[in-house]
Each structure stands twice: as C-alpha cells, then as structure tokens.
Amino acid sequence: MLKEIAIRNFAIIDDLELTFSEGFNAFTGETGAGKSIILDAVSMVLGGKSDPTFVRDGSERAVVEAVFSCGDSMEIIQEILHREELLDDADFENLMMTREIRAEGRSIARINGHNVSLSVMHEIGEYLVDIHGQSEHLSLLNPRKHIHLLDRFASNQDLLKTYREKLKELQSVQHHLKLLRVDEEESLRQKDMLTFQINEIESAKISENEEDDLKKERDRLGNIENLNKYVRQSLQYLDGSNPEIPGIIDLLGLLTKSFENLVKNDGDIQMVSDSVFSISDQVNEVFDFLQRYQETLEFNPHRLEQIEDRLMIINGLKRKYGGNIPNVLNFAAKAQEKLSHLENSEEEIANLEDQEKRFINELSLLACKLSENRMSSARKMSHDIEIELGDLRMTNAKFHVSMTTRADENGLFNASGQPLAYNENGFDDVEFLIAPNLGEGLKPLAKIASGGETSRLMLALKNSLASADAIPTLIFDEIDQGIGGRVGSVVGEKIWNISQTHQVLCITHLPQLAAFFDVHFHVSKEVFDGRTRTIVQKMDRNSSIHEMASLLGSDTEENLLAAEAMLKDAQSRKLKEK
C-alpha cells in the first residue's frame, strides 16, 4: 500500500506531505484545487511520463517521494530488484520510490536510493498501484493482463507454476534439438572435412618427439665430412697410428704396468692404481665406440632427402592444425570426438524427440486443465460482474470473457487432439468483452466509450475481481463521472467493499460516495505570499459533514442535516457488511 508521499515544487504544490491509511481514503475539494495534481505526482513516481512544466515556477526541480509496503507483490518486486542488482536487503519492509524533474527537462528515477531506468520504475509501479479514471494507468484495459486476472479468479496459480516448470524443461530439450538438427548438407560437409583431417594426421603417423630426432639426424648428415675428419683424428690419438704422436692406449698400458709394480712395493696406493686401470678401460671403450660410430658415418643423399620430405609433411600439419606436434595430435583427437558426436547425433536426436513428445503430452494435459478451470471460472466471473453492473443501474449490460485459441501444427494438443499455439500461460487467449446497452453487440473492453458507463464498469470489474487482484493500492480518479446521486451511494458502498482487501484512494465530487470514507482529505488552494499553493487537510467527522454539505451546494442547515444523514446511512451499511 501507499504509506506516505512527499511532493515538493510540483505544479501549484510547494511542499506537501501526506500519510495514508488502509481502507478507503476519500479526497474532496473544489475543481482546480489540486486533487488531480496529487494524482499526477503519484503517477510520476510510478514511472509515468515527465514534463518540465510540472516544475513549480521559480524552482529548479520538482521532487516526489513515495513510501510503499509491497503486500502480495513483494516476491515479484524482489525478483525485479534482484535482476537489476538493486536488492541490498532481501527482508526490506518498505520500498521508497523517488522521481526528480529538472526545469531543463531532465528526469531522474530512484528506488531505495539507487538510480534506475524509467522502464524499471514503471514495471515495479504496475505491481503497486492501479489508477482508474483520467490516467492511462488502466490495467483492466490491457487485454494482455486479462488472462492473469482470470487465472487468479480461477485459483490457477499452483497449476500455472507446474505448467511453467514443465515448459522450461521442454524448451531446454527443444533448444538442444535445434543445435543437433543441423542442415543435412552441412552435416555431411562437416563429416567429410573431419574425416579428411583425421586421415591426413593419422596417415602421417607422427610422434611427439619425431621432429627433434629428424632435425638431429639431418644436422648429422649435413656435417658428415667434418664428423669423419674428427673421428679419424680421435682414433689416431688413441691407437697411435700417427707415427708422430704416441697412442693414448699404449701410454695407458705402460702406465698400468708401472702401477702394478708400485702396488707390489706399496699397497697403500692400491686405490690410485684402481683408478688408473678404470681410466684405461674407459679409454678402450671410447675407442670401441668411435670405431663403431665411424662405420655409420656414410653420406647418404637419399636418406637426407627422406628426412627433408618428412619434415615438410610435419611442418604442413603444424601450419594447418596448431603450430606444434602436440597441438596437431590434440586436434586429431578433438576432430575424432566431433566426428563421433555427429555419427551418434541421430541416436541422440531420437532420444530427445522422445523426450519432446513426452513433455508435449504432459504440458497438453496441464494446458487442458488450465483451460477447463478458466472456462468454468469465466462463466462465474461474467455472472458476478453482470450482477455488479445491475446494482450500478446497468441492468441490461452484458459481460463476456472471450477465450480463443490458434491452430499450430507444432503446438500443444487440446482435449480433441487438435494442436494449438501455446506460451507461458497455456494455449488460451483471453479478452474481456462488454455490451453496455441492450441490443448492442459485445465489444472489447478496451474499445468501449468513456464516461459514466466506463467508470461503473471499472468499478464492477474491480469489485468482482478484488480477491483476484494482487495490486495493493487502487486509485479512482473521479469515478463518479456521469453518475448521479442515486447511484453514488451504491458506488460508495462498492468502493468501501473493495477497500476491505485493498487500499483505496478516491477523488470524488459526490457526497453520497465520499460518505463511505475511512479517512477523509479535503484539498483546497490558497494564496500565500503572492503565490497559489495547494493545501490538504485530514478531516474530522464535523469537518467532513460541512464539506459534504458544500458538495451538495452550500453549507446550509438543510444540507448539513442531509450530509449527517448520509454519514449515518453509510456507517450503518458498513456495519451491516462487516
């Protein structure tokens, strides 16, 4: 509900703070006093259009701040705030909405101190207040919302929740299917490409270290002459085949014999003697290795050509598949995985298609149940609203809830097995139709004429749907337009009935309607310091009697008695209803 509002420098309002109550808050006052301006301020703070002309002359900006308790709309408002990353405290009790309009035209919207877009403020505002009358803020004239009101009337909330959860599962399966159902030619092209890539890599039979080994071998073959030269030289040093240089092996042989003799004479040098013998053995092993190595040092131009060809193949694979051999091998593994996935996709598609059929069948049953509930509730709703219209002197008015469907070969199935288009609400399209006068055909609610009939219809709808409407605050702006005093008391009683489940703010010129107030505000204007400003006073019973007498024409004794009688009559009818 709307708990408080503060309005500063807005049109002829300089500084106004109001605290509202639960129940029926009635506003009366002379035309032009500022009642509709207060409503404009409320509309602004709910995300309505701004206009720099709203800024009071001589001021830089106009500010409207409103404090709400969210009631049954708390959960969905928390979802919106969470989505917009504005939820500082999940357990907040009040919601503060602020709108600031600068004289140069700039507008700023804030929720709980956070700057927000106007669209977010408007989205949240739709769950807080519903304004009926001269404003465009008419939820009942929005056909898209009719199905939600009918579902509340039919108590379909739990069934809808189950339906929507199942719908998400179906949409997930269908999304997966869409990804798998690639064009047949594209699928074949991918298979051919992957097969070619895999065969190209596998036929090369490359190994991770092969490139390094080939490069080493290529370098060795390219230096074969130098290798032969240095091997011959090393062998000469070892075996003494060069007459000018004694061989290392022969010299070590002499050295070992000398150490044999030393050991015979002094056993303490045995360890050193062992080292000499070990060195001699190692040198002989080096000699044997060099002889074997020399036998491999044969220039082979055919082998060098083979190595270059092999390296060319490896470099080609590296350029195409990843820059190095590990990446090439990894590419082949992933390509094989993709190929297997494509080859197995037919089986996966078949499994998903089975799931899709199962979900469609389950959703079809849920949608049929939703439609059945709506159908029976639509009849009751139409009957209830026609009774309300009769009370409001529209005895011949007819009301009808239109439920239609659209054929769709890919849709859900109704009870007759016909496939129908569907969405998050099932397969029904709902719209309210009205024939205000006898002999007129039913027409969409959004297209009926304005005036007294519209006001009474809005009231009849709201009274019938009060229990189904989750919006906590309803504002009726001169709903008495085109309504005489005889109907005024009926309208007042019905508005008071609505106020038992909703907070109601009602601007009216009818004393018969205002008499049902729980709280009465009088709106007037005065000239102060050369400027006109709006004043709002909370009335006591005596003040209310004088105000209603004024609404009857003048503050005469006769009108005062009539006003007091109205209050007593209203009080009696309210007690009777309780």
Side-chain angles (χ1 to χ4, degrees), residues 443-454:
K443 296 178 182 178
L445 185 61
K447 296 182 180 179
I448 64 171
S450 61
E453 290 176 343
T454 304

Side-chain angles (χ1 to χ4, degrees), residues 436-459:
N437 301 300
L438 186 65
E440 295 183 6
L442 291 163
K443 296 178 182 178
L445 185 61
K447 296 182 180 179
I448 64 171
S450 61
E453 290 176 343
T454 304
S455 299
R456 281 181 276 181
L457 177 60
M458 291 299 103
L459 182 58

Side-chain angles (χ1 to χ4, degrees), residues 201 206-212 314-315 317-335:
I201 295 172
I206 58 175
S207 60
E208 194 163 330
N209 298 320
E210 180 181 5
E211 185 179 22
D212 291 339
I314 291 173
N315 286 329
L317 293 175
K318 284 163 55 180
R319 281 195 305 271
K320 292 167 70 174
Y321 303 118
N324 57 55
I325 290 179
N327 286 346
V328 173
L329 295 174
N330 186 50
F331 182 95
K334 289 185 176 180

Side-chain angles (χ1 to χ4, degrees), residues 25 27 35-36 39 476-480 505-509:
N25 296 259
F27 287 79
K35 300 186 298 299
S36 294
L39 187 59
F476 294 99
D477 180 18
E478 298 188 5
I479 196 171
D480 50 22
L505 279 64
C506 181
I507 296 173
T508 182
H509 293 285

Side-chain angles (χ1 to χ4, degrees), residues 140 145-158 160 370 372-388 399 401 403 430 432 460-470:
L140 287 174
K145 295 191 175 183
H146 293 176
I147 192 168
H148 303 306
L149 289 169
L150 179 58
D151 279 330
R152 282 188 166 274
F153 193 85
S155 299
N156 272 340
Q157 290 88 338
D158 291 341
L160 266 173
L370 284 168
E372 180 183 336
N373 291 353
R374 288 167 183 156
M375 190 70 70
S376 60
S377 295
R379 289 191 291 269
K380 185 177 186 307
M381 177 188 287
S382 298
H383 177 263
D384 291 351
I385 289 175
E386 287 178 0
I387 291 175
E388 292 287 336
F399 182 87
V401 179
M403 291 179 56
V430 173
F432 297 160
L461 283 166
K462 274 299 177 183
N463 210 31
S464 298
L465 302 178
S467 61
D469 195 344

Side-chain angles (χ1 to χ4, degrees), residues 145-282:
K145 295 191 175 183
H146 293 176
I147 192 168
H148 303 306
L149 289 169
L150 179 58
D151 279 330
R152 282 188 166 274
F153 193 85
S155 299
N156 272 340
Q157 290 88 338
D158 291 341
L159 190 58
L160 266 173
K161 182 179 180 182
T162 302
Y163 171 87
R164 287 168 180 167
E165 288 172 352
K166 192 67 65 177
L167 179 61
K168 286 182 180 179
E169 295 182 71
L170 172 63
Q171 290 170 337
S172 176
V173 168
Q174 289 176 330
H175 177 70
H176 198 178
L177 271 172
K178 185 178 180 180
L179 296 178
L180 290 175
R181 284 172 175 157
V182 292
D183 182 80
E184 186 175 0
E185 292 184 4
E186 174 65 15
S187 179
L188 290 172
R189 188 193 68 79
Q190 288 188 33
K191 287 181 181 179
D192 289 343
M193 176 62 72
L194 290 169
T195 301
F196 170 80
Q197 292 169 335
I198 292 167
N199 288 340
E200 184 178 28
I201 295 172
E202 289 184 347
S203 63
K205 296 181 179 179
I206 58 175
S207 60
E208 194 163 330
N209 298 320
E210 180 181 5
E211 185 179 22
D212 291 339
D213 294 340
L214 288 172
K215 286 180 178 180
K216 289 177 183 178
E217 186 177 0
R218 182 188 62 184
D219 292 343
R220 189 179 69 181
L221 289 174
N223 293 291
I224 196 73
E225 290 186 6
N226 286 334
L227 289 170
N228 271 313
K229 171 184 174 183
Y230 293 123
V231 167
R232 287 196 301 272
Q233 190 178 73
S234 297
L235 288 171
Q236 286 177 356
Y237 291 150
L238 290 169
D239 65 6
S241 56
N242 185 343
E244 297 179 359
I245 303 174
I248 293 173
I249 293 175
D250 291 339
L251 291 173
L252 282 170
L254 296 173
L255 181 61
T256 55
K257 288 186 179 293
S258 177
F259 264 88
E260 285 178 353
N261 292 325
L262 284 170
V263 169
K264 289 178 182 179
N265 290 284
D266 187 356
D268 290 341
I269 63 171
Q270 180 65 52
M271 184 177 295
V272 179
S273 175
D274 292 342
S275 297
V276 171
F277 277 90
S278 176
I279 292 170
S280 178
D281 291 340
Q282 290 177 26

